[in-house]
Amino acid sequence: TGNDLAEKGYRSSSLHEGQVNFLMAYDVNDGAPLLSRAFEGGNLDKVSVKDVLSREELHDMLVIMDSGFYSAENVEALTSHNNSYIIPLHRRIKGCMDAVANLHVDGRFVYQKDRKASVIEYSVSLDAPGRRIIAYRDLNMAALKQSNYLRYIEQERKSYTRERFEEMKELFGVIVLQTSLDVSDEEVYR
């Protein structure tokens, strides 16, 4: 017997099995589940979010999602009913490309997790009223990725070239987030 929800999804070439997608929401304070939905494996994540948002009326919530959920329509829906969101932007989205192309340093802070500390630089641009795009660069991660890439060039690994390094070096250690959350840029990162 088959599962009616199992379909080829975005990882079907590596999984070789049908997939089922789940969207879950938890209370950030106590970890209690608030809702869950199962979707066909072939559904795009952003379509699944649209479906949940059309069925559930969420109020005063912070929604944190991965970049697969991004769409202009979802962003609009996520800001209704006094909700806020944080979503990383995929590198092919215009807002992300613009943020990286115009990267300048508006501020710095130290991010510490356990014993590891990193200096984070950031740059802020306004996307629309009540929304901003923040490009963060982890200087430690950027240095690590650059040194690894240069080592791969020296080892003559396929597709690692000096030309490609020059194209990509400004992206190493960078994450770009879009948010409607009214807190400091450092708090968004944390």
Side-chain angles (χ1 to χ4, degrees), residues 6 8 11 21 31 33 52 59 61-62 65 71 75 90 94 97-98 100-101 116 122 127 138 147 157 160 173 189:
K8 285 187 176 183
R11 294 188 60 202
N21 290 330
V52 167
H59 294 275
M61 297 185 88
L62 169 59
M65 300 182 297
S71 76
V75 165
H90 192 278
K94 184 178 179 340
M97 292 187 293
D98 290 347
V100 171
K116 182 184 171 202
Y122 64 91
D127 184 44
D138 179 326
S147 65
R157 289 196 185 184
Y160 288 88
Y189 187 86

Side-chain angles (χ1 to χ4, degrees), residues 64-82:
I64 301 173
M65 300 182 297
D66 74 37
S67 60
F69 295 105
Y70 180 85
S71 76
E73 194 173 354
N74 284 347
V75 165
E76 289 303 319
L78 289 168
T79 56
S80 65
H81 306 294
N82 206 34

Side-chain angles (χ1 to χ4, degrees), residues 9-134:
Y10 78 99
R11 294 188 60 202
S12 62
S13 62
S14 61
L15 293 176
H16 307 291
E17 297 286 338
Q19 291 177 225
V20 176
N21 290 330
F22 289 95
L23 185 117
M24 302 185 77
Y26 296 91
D27 184 302
V28 294
N29 294 315
D30 64 13
L34 299 173
L35 68 89
S36 66
R37 295 282 184 274
F39 295 93
E40 293 87 358
N43 271 7
L44 293 173
D45 292 340
K46 57 186 165 188
V47 173
S48 303
V49 169
K50 182 180 170 185
D51 183 66
V52 167
L53 293 173
S54 70
R55 293 178 190 212
E56 302 289 335
E57 200 169 288
L58 307 175
H59 294 275
D60 302 310
M61 297 185 88
L62 169 59
V63 180
I64 301 173
M65 300 182 297
D66 74 37
S67 60
F69 295 105
Y70 180 85
S71 76
E73 194 173 354
N74 284 347
V75 165
E76 289 303 319
L78 289 168
T79 56
S80 65
H81 306 294
N82 206 34
N83 293 315
S84 299
Y85 69 91
I86 300 173
I87 188 166
L89 297 181
H90 192 278
R91 293 180 186 218
R92 290 187 298 254
I93 291 177
K94 184 178 179 340
C96 181
M97 292 187 293
D98 290 347
V100 171
N102 299 315
L103 196 61
H104 57 279
V105 178
D106 288 327
R108 290 180 183 85
F109 59 90
V110 174
Y111 176 73
Q112 184 151 356
K113 184 170 183 177
D114 301 322
R115 296 179 137 192
K116 182 184 171 202
S118 294
V119 174
I120 309 297
E121 296 180 336
Y122 64 91
S123 172
V124 182
S125 58
L126 298 179
D127 184 44
R131 293 195 311 233
R132 66 191 189 275
I133 294 174
I134 311 164

